Amino acid sequence: MDEPIQNKKVDTPQDNSDVITMRHIAKSFGDNAILKDINMDLHKGENLVILGKSGTGKSVTIKLIVNLLEYDKGELKVFGDEVKDLSEQELKKLRTRVGFLFQSAALYDSMTVRENLEFPLKRILKIKDEKELEDRIKEVLDSVGLPDAIDKMPSELSGGMRKRIGLARTIILKPEIMLYDEPTTGLDPITSKEISELIMSMQEKFKISSIIITHDIACAKITANRMMVMDKGEFVAEGTFEELENSSDDFIKSFFKL
Amino acid sequence: MANAPAASYKGILEEAGNQVLFMFRFFRNIFRFDFEWEEFIRQCYMIGYKSFPLVGITGFIIGFVITLQSEPTMKAFGAESFIPKMVAISLIREICPVVIALICAGKISSGIGAELGSMQVSEQIDAMEVSGANPVQYLVVTRILACIIMIPLLTLMADALGFAGSYLGVNLSNHVSPQLFFSKAFSSVEFGDLLPAFFKTIFFGFAIGFIGCYKGYNSNRGTESVGIAANSAVVNASLWIIVIDGIAVQLTNALGY
Ligand SMILES: Nc1ncnc2c1ncn2[C@@H]1O[C@H](COP(=O)(O)OP(=O)(O)O)[C@@H](O)[C@H]1O
Ligand SMILES: [Mg+2]
């Protein structure tokens, strides 16, 4: 039986302030070992930025969190529950509590912006009332700064606008965790800055905990409370923006060169 | 390369296994609450209504051509009056179902393969899944069911227009009244001709929808895989249609239709 999932905030126990914990996670595709030993915590309310070169397995890491891919080994707990052991219903619930912004924004390109935003509302929150749908959509479009885009098709939107609508479609379910996959890649510096600021406002307004994958150092500087650097399927460094910026390690320094 | 044949057999078995699993997912998702009526009706429109012109013209011309082609032979035997009968039986039992199914494999199966393939490549299917919605229910179930319903209807339409084409063909050389033509054609067609053909087209519809969805849904990342998905959807669906046709003729003969 599909019950409507209420999007009320669930209080996390005080002694467990980590919303995600990963321990010794390994993942291969065939003979190709992508993740070797991933250990990471996401603290409640923080913005964690993950830096890393292309192809090191950053996207794979966050796809494990929502079970788009399955890990081979290790422990991965989200809100205290092992992701592998969730039933279909529990997984569905988890997925409404964790938002995912894809690199390509992944808008449904046969639907208008309105239909894109209605899609999760109708199916997950089971909202049928036209007025409530309309109010929710307006509210979320306002919070991403695109109130006029409501009747446009995705193909009419610029890259930055698509990212915003993608974000709107995700936060419309009021997630507690956001996973951003390269939110500013492919955007001009000004739009990048706007998106970075939007990520900050999500944190402030909705108290969302976030993982932000990026190699845009300007974005990291604006958004990061804490940063981790990934290389070849492992985390190789961790610290605040200033700490990593002043690192003596050549590999880490290379991310900060303009 | 001693291993090559073994590897390709393994690949074929793997593919067959994956198709069976995908079929289970389809059946498991039909019987759920919240059937996606809106999308289902949209797909019926896209698959059925939008194929009317192509299917209609094809049916008409097939009827016309078969009539003209068979006329000299039938005349030689002095059996022109059998033309309506022969055309009716061959159109209804075999030619229209198979030709229309193959055309729809080219138009519909490849279209579904390309559409779902590009949704897979651009992460739209993943996005649907992580939002907690059910992409199999929304995308796959609706499309396959729409094909199962629309392909038989399109075939019936082609049958009807095939008769019209045949009537035109007959009238090029003789004058036959429509009443005479159609009463001759229909007097020879029995329920037992229509029924197995109709059942067959239901399976054709399933093959067209299923293969399109399977190839699109499971396409790889990368833009070239959209083309691959569309192409292999046509090839595989056509093959399925021919195989189903071969099985169907055995079955109908065994059952005495
Ligand atoms: N579904 C998949 N199947 C096979 N290989 C994959 C899949 N997803 C990612 N990979 C491989 O894993 C590696 C890491 O990918 P990814 O996590 O996307 O890198 P990035 O750090 O740039 O986000 C790449 O080499 C990619 O080819
Ligand atoms: Mg990536």
Side-chain angles (χ1 to χ4, degrees), chain A residues 29-30 32 34-35 52-61 63 69 103 181-182 213 215 230, chain B residues 221:
Chain A
F29 293 105
N32 196 359
I34 303 294
L35 302 181
K53 287 192 297 188
S54 290
T56 47
K58 305 183 298 296
S59 301
V60 170
T61 305
K63 282 178 182 167
L69 294 171
Q103 193 170 336
D181 197 351
E182 310 201 7
I213 291 179
H215 33 230
M230 187 187 264
Chain B
R221 302 298 153 97

Side-chain angles (χ1 to χ4, degrees), chain B:
Chain B
M1 293 306 282
N3 271 337
S8 76
Y9 288 135
K10 192 173 156 238
I12 290 170
L13 286 180
E14 236 176 72
E15 171 87 1
N18 287 336
Q19 289 193 5
V20 171
L21 287 179
F22 195 70
M23 211 178 287
F24 277 129
R25 275 176 89 181
F26 162 68
F27 283 115
R28 211 158 48 96
N29 278 288
I30 300 180
F31 305 106
R32 290 229 178 189
F33 290 88
D34 312 321
F35 184 74
E36 298 277 356
W37 283 106
E38 219 173 292
E39 176 68 7
F40 169 69
I41 290 171
R42 199 175 73 92
Q43 287 306 323
C44 284
Y45 172 79
M46 301 285 284
I47 289 167
Y49 186 75
K50 296 248 165 150
S51 307
F52 273 10
L54 179 65
V55 168
I57 291 170
T58 308
F60 186 84
I61 290 181
I62 289 176
F64 180 70
V65 169
I66 288 187
T67 306
L68 291 190
Q69 296 268 23
S70 53
E71 207 163 22
T73 321
M74 298 299 260
K75 231 177 206 156
F77 287 106
E80 292 133 287
S81 60
F82 281 107
I83 289 179
K85 203 170 180 164
M86 189 208 77
V87 171
I89 299 268
S90 50
L91 282 187
I92 288 184
R93 290 199 77 133
E94 180 63 19
I95 297 177
C96 276
V98 171
V99 171
I100 298 307
L102 289 175
I103 285 186
C104 289
K107 181 174 190 291
I108 296 167
S109 219
S110 68
I112 293 175
E115 187 190 9
L116 297 196
S118 73
M119 288 186 78
Q120 186 64 266
V121 169
S122 59
E123 300 179 307
Q124 292 175 52
I125 292 180
D126 282 347
M128 231 173 241
E129 189 149 0
V130 293
S131 77
N134 184 340
V136 174
Q137 194 180 13
Y138 182 75
L139 298 170
V140 175
V141 170
T142 52
R143 280 165 177 74
I144 296 180
L145 289 183
C147 284
I148 289 177
I149 290 177
M150 295 321 286
I151 302 297
L153 294 181
L154 287 170
T155 307
L156 287 181
M157 193 189 73
D159 288 342
L161 283 162
F163 284 168
S166 174
Y167 176 67
L168 179 70
V170 169
N171 265 277
L172 286 185
S173 51
N174 313 298
H175 181 76
V176 182
S177 75
Q179 285 89 338
L180 181 62
F181 178 83
F182 285 104
S183 71
K184 273 202 168 168
F186 284 119
S187 69
S188 58
V189 178
E190 291 169 17
F191 200 54
D193 293 313
L194 203 55
L195 200 66
F198 189 76
F199 266 121
K200 189 160 78 174
T201 55
I202 291 175
F203 285 95
F204 290 164
F206 176 76
I208 288 166
F210 176 77
I211 293 293
C213 288
Y214 172 79
K215 291 292 176 185
Y217 202 93
N218 295 297
S219 72
N220 294 323
R221 302 298 153 97
T223 35
E224 79 285 358
S225 50
V226 176
I228 295 173
N231 186 271
S232 65
V234 180
V235 174
N236 278 269
S238 307
L239 199 63
W240 269 54
I241 288 163
I242 301 296
V243 171
I244 291 171
D245 197 43
I247 295 171
V249 73
Q250 303 286 340
L251 272 180
T252 46
N253 283 348
L255 294 174
Y257 277 109

